[in-house]
Amino acid sequence: MVETYVFGHKSPDSDSITSSIVMANLENELGNSEAKAYRLGSINKETEFILDYLGMDAPELLESIEDGANVILVDHNSPAESVDNLENANILKVVDHHKLALATSYPLFLRFEPVGCTETILCKLYEENGVEITKEIATLMLSAIISDTLLLKSPTTTEDDKAAVEKLSQIAEIDAEEYGLEMLKAGTDLSSFSIDEILSLDAKQIDFKNVKSIVNQVNTADISDVMTMKDELEEGMSNIIDEEDLDLFMLLITDIVNSNSQVIALGKYSCLVEKAYGVILENNTVLLEGVVSRKKQVVPIMTESA
Ligand code: MN
Ligand code: MN
Protein backbone atom coordinates (compact mmCIF):
# COMPACT_ATOMS: atom_id res chain seq x y z
CA MET A 1 0.00 0.00 0.00
CA VAL A 2 1.25 3.50 -0.80
CA GLU A 3 2.00 5.65 2.24
CA THR A 4 -0.23 8.58 3.10
CA TYR A 5 1.44 11.63 4.61
CA VAL A 6 -0.58 13.27 7.38
CA PHE A 7 0.50 16.70 8.60
CA GLY A 8 -0.59 20.06 9.99
CA HIS A 9 0.69 23.53 9.16
CA LYS A 10 4.19 25.03 9.13
CA SER A 11 5.37 26.50 12.46
CA PRO A 12 3.39 23.63 13.99
CA ASP A 13 1.42 24.10 17.22
CA SER A 14 0.10 21.38 19.49
CA ASP A 15 -3.08 20.95 17.43
CA SER A 16 -1.13 20.42 14.20
CA ILE A 17 1.20 17.84 15.76
CA THR A 18 -1.34 15.90 17.80
CA SER A 19 -3.99 15.96 15.07
CA SER A 20 -1.49 14.46 12.62
CA ILE A 21 -0.82 11.59 15.02
CA VAL A 22 -4.51 11.11 15.88
CA MET A 23 -5.66 11.29 12.24
CA ALA A 24 -2.96 8.88 11.06
CA ASN A 25 -4.06 6.46 13.78
CA LEU A 26 -7.70 6.74 12.68
CA GLU A 27 -6.78 6.02 9.06
CA ASN A 28 -4.78 2.98 10.11
CA GLU A 29 -7.49 1.72 12.47
CA LEU A 30 -10.05 1.97 9.67
CA GLY A 31 -7.65 0.38 7.18
CA ASN A 32 -8.19 3.28 4.80
CA SER A 33 -4.56 3.82 4.06
CA GLU A 34 -1.12 3.26 5.49
CA ALA A 35 -0.93 6.66 7.10
CA LYS A 36 2.00 8.24 8.90
CA ALA A 37 2.13 11.52 10.82
CA TYR A 38 4.72 14.15 9.91
CA ARG A 39 5.59 17.65 11.06
CA LEU A 40 6.49 20.68 8.94
CA GLY A 41 8.74 22.38 11.48
CA SER A 42 10.24 22.19 14.94
CA ILE A 43 8.21 21.20 17.97
CA ASN A 44 7.37 24.01 20.39
CA LYS A 45 7.78 23.80 24.16
CA GLU A 46 4.12 23.15 24.80
CA THR A 47 4.00 20.22 22.37
CA GLU A 48 7.24 18.95 23.88
CA PHE A 49 5.49 18.95 27.28
CA ILE A 50 2.63 16.86 25.85
CA LEU A 51 4.90 14.34 24.10
CA ASP A 52 7.10 14.04 27.21
CA TYR A 53 4.02 13.46 29.35
CA LEU A 54 3.10 10.55 27.09
CA GLY A 55 6.67 9.39 26.47
CA MET A 56 6.07 9.72 22.74
CA ASP A 57 8.47 10.72 19.98
CA ALA A 58 7.71 13.68 17.75
CA PRO A 59 6.64 12.87 14.18
CA GLU A 60 9.35 12.94 11.54
CA LEU A 61 10.15 16.21 9.80
CA LEU A 62 8.81 16.49 6.26
CA GLU A 63 10.77 18.84 4.00
CA SER A 64 8.82 18.42 0.78
CA ILE A 65 6.74 15.83 -1.03
CA GLU A 66 7.01 14.11 -4.37
CA ASP A 67 4.60 14.71 -7.21
CA GLY A 68 1.48 12.60 -6.80
CA ALA A 69 2.08 11.79 -3.10
CA ASN A 70 -1.06 10.98 -1.10
CA VAL A 71 -1.59 13.50 1.67
CA ILE A 72 -4.10 14.29 4.40
CA LEU A 73 -4.13 17.83 5.79
CA VAL A 74 -5.14 18.58 9.36
CA ASP A 75 -5.45 21.92 11.19
CA HIS A 76 -4.86 23.92 7.98
CA ASN A 77 -5.85 23.96 4.35
CA SER A 78 -4.15 27.05 2.98
CA PRO A 79 -1.37 26.02 0.53
CA ALA A 80 0.75 28.94 1.83
CA GLU A 81 0.88 27.28 5.26
CA SER A 82 1.41 23.79 3.89
CA VAL A 83 4.20 21.63 2.56
CA ASP A 84 6.17 22.71 -0.49
CA ASN A 85 4.89 21.17 -3.73
CA LEU A 86 1.38 20.65 -2.31
CA GLU A 87 -0.03 21.72 -5.69
CA ASN A 88 1.30 18.51 -7.21
CA ALA A 89 0.15 16.24 -4.38
CA ASN A 90 -2.99 14.14 -4.28
CA ILE A 91 -4.96 15.50 -1.32
CA LEU A 92 -7.18 12.70 -0.02
CA LYS A 93 -8.74 14.43 2.98
CA VAL A 94 -8.79 17.66 4.94
CA VAL A 95 -9.95 17.93 8.56
CA ASP A 96 -9.82 21.53 9.71
CA HIS A 97 -11.40 24.38 11.67
CA HIS A 98 -10.04 27.30 9.62
CA LYS A 99 -11.64 29.10 6.72
CA LEU A 100 -11.56 27.31 3.39
CA ALA A 101 -8.60 28.47 1.31
CA LEU A 102 -8.09 25.44 -0.89
CA ALA A 103 -9.32 24.66 -4.38
CA THR A 104 -8.66 21.36 -6.13
CA SER A 105 -9.52 20.10 -9.58
CA TYR A 106 -10.66 16.74 -8.14
CA PRO A 107 -13.10 15.58 -5.44
CA LEU A 108 -11.88 14.90 -1.92
CA PHE A 109 -13.08 14.24 1.62
CA LEU A 110 -13.54 17.52 3.51
CA ARG A 111 -14.55 17.85 7.14
CA PHE A 112 -14.69 21.45 8.32
CA GLU A 113 -16.39 22.64 11.48
CA PRO A 114 -16.22 26.08 13.11
CA VAL A 115 -15.07 24.68 16.45
CA GLY A 116 -12.13 25.64 18.66
CA CYS A 117 -9.76 22.85 17.67
CA THR A 118 -9.20 20.19 14.99
CA GLU A 119 -9.11 17.55 17.73
CA THR A 120 -12.73 18.31 18.62
CA ILE A 121 -13.65 17.25 15.07
CA LEU A 122 -11.39 14.21 15.24
CA CYS A 123 -13.02 13.19 18.51
CA LYS A 124 -16.34 13.13 16.63
CA LEU A 125 -14.81 11.20 13.72
CA TYR A 126 -13.59 8.49 16.12
CA GLU A 127 -17.08 8.23 17.59
CA GLU A 128 -18.83 8.24 14.23
CA ASN A 129 -16.54 5.47 12.99
CA GLY A 130 -16.73 3.45 16.21
CA VAL A 131 -12.98 3.64 16.76
CA GLU A 132 -11.85 3.42 20.38
CA ILE A 133 -10.32 6.54 21.90
CA THR A 134 -7.48 5.15 24.01
CA LYS A 135 -6.03 6.95 27.01
CA GLU A 136 -3.09 8.09 24.89
CA ILE A 137 -5.28 9.36 22.04
CA ALA A 138 -7.56 11.11 24.56
CA THR A 139 -4.57 12.85 26.14
CA LEU A 140 -3.38 14.10 22.73
CA MET A 141 -6.86 15.35 21.83
CA LEU A 142 -7.45 16.96 25.21
CA SER A 143 -4.08 18.72 25.19
CA ALA A 144 -4.69 20.30 21.80
CA ILE A 145 -8.19 21.50 22.69
CA ILE A 146 -6.83 23.13 25.86
CA SER A 147 -4.05 24.70 23.78
CA ASP A 148 -6.21 26.07 20.96
CA THR A 149 -8.97 27.35 23.28
CA LEU A 150 -6.65 28.52 26.09
CA LEU A 151 -8.43 26.29 28.58
CA LEU A 152 -11.85 26.92 27.00
CA LYS A 153 -11.51 30.69 27.59
CA SER A 154 -10.88 31.83 24.02
CA PRO A 155 -13.93 33.16 22.09
CA THR A 156 -13.32 30.40 19.54
CA THR A 157 -14.56 27.91 22.16
CA THR A 158 -17.83 26.13 21.32
CA GLU A 159 -20.14 23.81 23.24
CA ASP A 160 -18.63 20.93 21.23
CA ASP A 161 -15.16 21.76 22.57
CA LYS A 162 -16.46 21.85 26.12
CA ALA A 163 -18.22 18.51 25.70
CA ALA A 164 -15.06 16.98 24.20
CA VAL A 165 -12.91 18.21 27.10
CA GLU A 166 -15.38 16.74 29.58
CA LYS A 167 -15.38 13.37 27.87
CA LEU A 168 -11.66 13.21 27.09
CA SER A 169 -10.48 14.22 30.56
CA GLN A 170 -12.39 11.23 31.90
CA ILE A 171 -10.83 8.81 29.43
CA ALA A 172 -7.37 10.33 29.95
CA GLU A 173 -7.91 10.48 33.73
CA ILE A 174 -6.58 14.02 33.73
CA ASP A 175 -7.71 17.10 35.66
CA ALA A 176 -8.03 19.41 32.63
CA GLU A 177 -7.62 22.64 34.62
CA GLU A 178 -4.51 21.59 36.50
CA TYR A 179 -2.81 19.75 33.64
CA GLY A 180 -3.85 22.47 31.20
CA LEU A 181 -2.33 25.35 33.14
CA GLU A 182 0.91 23.43 33.59
CA MET A 183 0.97 22.64 29.87
CA LEU A 184 0.21 26.23 28.80
CA LYS A 185 2.89 27.55 31.13
CA ALA A 186 5.44 25.11 29.72
CA GLY A 187 4.62 26.62 26.33
CA THR A 188 5.40 30.15 27.48
CA ASP A 189 9.03 29.45 28.39
CA LEU A 190 10.96 31.53 25.85
CA SER A 191 14.32 31.35 27.60
CA SER A 192 15.99 29.02 25.12
CA PHE A 193 14.83 30.87 21.99
CA SER A 194 16.64 33.51 19.98
CA ILE A 195 14.73 36.64 18.93
CA ASP A 196 14.40 35.26 15.38
CA GLU A 197 12.98 32.02 16.75
CA ILE A 198 10.46 33.87 18.94
CA LEU A 199 9.37 35.86 15.89
CA SER A 200 8.73 32.72 13.87
CA LEU A 201 7.31 30.39 16.57
CA ASP A 202 3.67 30.97 15.67
CA ALA A 203 3.91 33.39 12.77
CA LYS A 204 1.19 33.42 10.14
CA GLN A 205 1.35 35.30 6.89
CA ILE A 206 -2.05 36.89 6.47
CA ASP A 207 -3.08 39.53 3.95
CA PHE A 208 -5.69 41.98 5.22
CA LYS A 209 -7.10 42.79 1.78
CA ASN A 210 -3.99 44.32 0.12
CA VAL A 211 -2.04 44.81 3.32
CA LYS A 212 0.68 42.15 3.30
CA SER A 213 1.12 41.16 6.92
CA ILE A 214 2.59 38.71 9.39
CA VAL A 215 0.74 38.13 12.64
CA ASN A 216 2.80 36.31 15.23
CA GLN A 217 1.42 35.24 18.59
CA VAL A 218 3.43 34.45 21.70
CA ASN A 219 1.74 33.19 24.85
CA THR A 220 2.95 34.25 28.26
CA ALA A 221 1.92 34.15 31.90
CA ASP A 222 3.43 37.65 32.32
CA ILE A 223 3.41 40.28 29.56
CA SER A 224 6.04 42.49 31.22
CA ASP A 225 8.45 39.56 31.07
CA VAL A 226 8.30 39.52 27.26
CA MET A 227 8.26 43.33 27.00
CA THR A 228 11.76 43.46 28.51
CA MET A 229 12.85 42.23 25.04
CA LYS A 230 10.87 44.92 23.17
CA ASP A 231 13.85 46.65 21.52
CA GLU A 232 15.33 43.38 20.25
CA LEU A 233 11.93 42.16 19.09
CA GLU A 234 11.31 45.39 17.15
CA GLU A 235 14.71 45.17 15.51
CA GLY A 236 13.98 41.59 14.41
CA MET A 237 10.51 42.56 13.19
CA SER A 238 11.95 45.44 11.12
CA ASN A 239 14.40 43.08 9.48
CA ILE A 240 11.63 40.65 8.54
CA ILE A 241 9.52 43.53 7.19
CA ASP A 242 12.44 44.55 4.92
CA GLU A 243 13.27 41.01 3.83
CA GLU A 244 9.71 40.00 3.04
CA ASP A 245 8.54 43.42 1.86
CA LEU A 246 5.70 43.46 4.42
CA ASP A 247 3.25 46.29 5.05
CA LEU A 248 2.63 45.23 8.65
CA PHE A 249 4.07 42.98 11.34
CA MET A 250 1.84 42.43 14.37
CA LEU A 251 3.30 40.67 17.37
CA LEU A 252 0.62 39.60 19.84
CA ILE A 253 1.94 38.88 23.31
CA THR A 254 -0.98 37.03 24.84
CA ASP A 255 -1.49 36.80 28.60
CA ILE A 256 -3.01 33.34 29.02
CA VAL A 257 -3.96 33.92 32.65
CA ASN A 258 -5.82 37.25 32.27
CA SER A 259 -6.86 36.88 28.60
CA ASN A 260 -5.40 40.10 27.13
CA SER A 261 -2.85 40.76 24.40
CA GLN A 262 -0.15 43.40 24.22
CA VAL A 263 0.43 44.13 20.55
CA ILE A 264 3.61 45.48 19.01
CA ALA A 265 2.87 46.75 15.49
CA LEU A 266 5.48 47.83 12.94
CA GLY A 267 5.37 48.63 9.24
CA LYS A 268 3.83 51.33 7.07
CA TYR A 269 0.32 50.07 7.85
CA SER A 270 0.70 49.85 11.65
CA CYS A 271 -2.02 52.54 11.76
CA LEU A 272 -4.43 49.78 10.70
CA VAL A 273 -4.21 48.42 14.26
CA GLU A 274 -5.27 51.82 15.62
CA LYS A 275 -8.16 52.02 13.18
CA ALA A 276 -9.33 48.45 13.79
CA TYR A 277 -9.34 48.61 17.59
CA GLY A 278 -9.88 52.35 18.17
CA VAL A 279 -6.61 52.60 20.07
CA ILE A 280 -3.44 54.71 19.88
CA LEU A 281 -0.08 53.01 19.63
CA GLU A 282 2.50 54.47 21.96
CA ASN A 283 6.05 53.47 21.10
CA ASN A 284 4.51 50.98 18.62
CA THR A 285 2.58 49.14 21.31
CA VAL A 286 -0.80 49.01 23.04
CA LEU A 287 -2.77 46.57 25.24
CA LEU A 288 -5.76 45.00 23.47
CA GLU A 289 -8.05 44.03 26.31
CA GLY A 290 -9.85 40.71 25.99
CA VAL A 291 -8.12 39.89 22.70
CA VAL A 292 -6.70 36.36 22.69
CA SER A 293 -7.79 34.84 19.39
CA ARG A 294 -5.95 35.69 16.19
CA LYS A 295 -8.60 33.92 14.16
CA LYS A 296 -11.67 35.51 15.73
CA GLN A 297 -10.45 38.79 17.19
CA VAL A 298 -7.70 39.82 14.80
CA VAL A 299 -8.19 38.52 11.26
CA PRO A 300 -11.84 39.59 10.74
CA ILE A 301 -11.45 42.96 12.48
CA MET A 302 -8.24 43.85 10.67
CA THR A 303 -9.62 42.72 7.32
CA GLU A 304 -12.76 44.80 7.84
CA SER A 305 -10.69 47.90 8.59
CA ALA A 306 -8.20 47.48 5.75
MN1 MN B 1 -2.89 25.34 14.48
MN1 MN C 1 -6.07 24.37 15.48
Side-chain angles (χ1 to χ4, degrees), residues 61 71 103 116 188 194 205 223 234 254 262 268 292 297:
L61 182 68
V71 304
T188 67
S194 68
Q205 187 144 0
I223 286 173
E234 288 189 357
T254 300
Q262 185 81 30
K268 59 178 180 280
V292 293
Q297 296 171 297

Side-chain angles (χ1 to χ4, degrees), residues 13 15 75 97-98 116-118 148:
D13 52 16
D15 190 18
D75 194 38
H97 65 130
H98 296 87
C117 182
T118 308
D148 265 12

Side-chain angles (χ1 to χ4, degrees), residues 43-64:
I43 297 285
N44 69 30
K45 293 262 167 132
E46 185 192 88
T47 311
E48 203 176 291
F49 176 95
I50 301 163
L51 296 174
D52 282 354
Y53 182 89
L54 289 167
M56 277 178 86
D57 289 331
E60 244 173 74
L61 182 68
L62 187 63
E63 309 266 12
S64 69

Side-chain angles (χ1 to χ4, degrees), residues 14-16 18-19 46 50 97 115-124 137-154 156-169 176 179-180 183-184:
S14 297
D15 190 18
S16 270
T18 63
S19 289
E46 185 192 88
I50 301 163
H97 65 130
V115 291
C117 182
T118 308
E119 291 285 22
T120 301
I121 309 169
L122 286 171
C123 182
K124 294 186 192 186
I137 293 289
T139 305
L140 290 167
M141 288 176 168
L142 176 67
S143 301
I145 301 172
I146 291 169
S147 166
D148 265 12
T149 66
L150 294 175
L151 256 172
L152 301 176
K153 281 192 290 188
S154 163
T156 55
T157 310
T158 66
E159 289 306 315
D160 290 0
D161 301 304
K162 291 179 190 164
V165 164
E166 177 85 42
K167 177 194 162 98
L168 295 168
S169 49
Y179 168 85
M183 183 200 86
L184 289 171

